[in-house]
Amino acid sequence: MEQDSEAPVRFTLPMKPSFREKTDRERALGAPIRWSIDGDVMMQGVVVDWRDEPDGSITLTIEASSAED
């Protein structure tokens, strides 16, 4: 099965309940997020969804973009 090259890549990122101490839904949605290793950006994206889980944790959905963008 071929992946549509125009379709955005999305993945979920589980966060601990303590993440709520750092930000809230309104500030997180649309915010950029980056992962780097030794100063090199490996992946970046934007938070497109925030889901509250029954155990108090949060699941973020990230729409990834190329590190070269």
Side-chain angles (χ1 to χ4, degrees):
M1 177 180 211
E2 288 185 38
Q3 182 176 359
D4 180 0
S5 63
E6 298 298 317
V9 174
R10 289 188 174 188
F11 60 93
T12 58
L13 182 62
M15 304 300 287
K16 294 181 180 181
S18 60
F19 183 70
R20 295 174 192 278
E21 297 169 11
K22 298 184 185 317
T23 193
D24 58 26
R25 177 189 310 267
E26 289 74 28
R27 290 189 304 193
L29 291 175
I33 190 166
R34 286 188 180 166
W35 290 268
S36 61
I37 297 176
D38 295 330
D40 294 325
V41 175
M42 304 306 291
M43 185 181 296
Q44 60 189 17
V46 176
V47 178
V48 295
D49 189 40
W50 167 303
R51 187 173 65 232
D52 294 306
E53 302 297 347
D55 66 357
S57 65
I58 300 154
T59 300
L60 300 177
T61 301
I62 310 299
E63 186 170 300
S65 61
S66 169
E68 292 85 35
D69 285 352

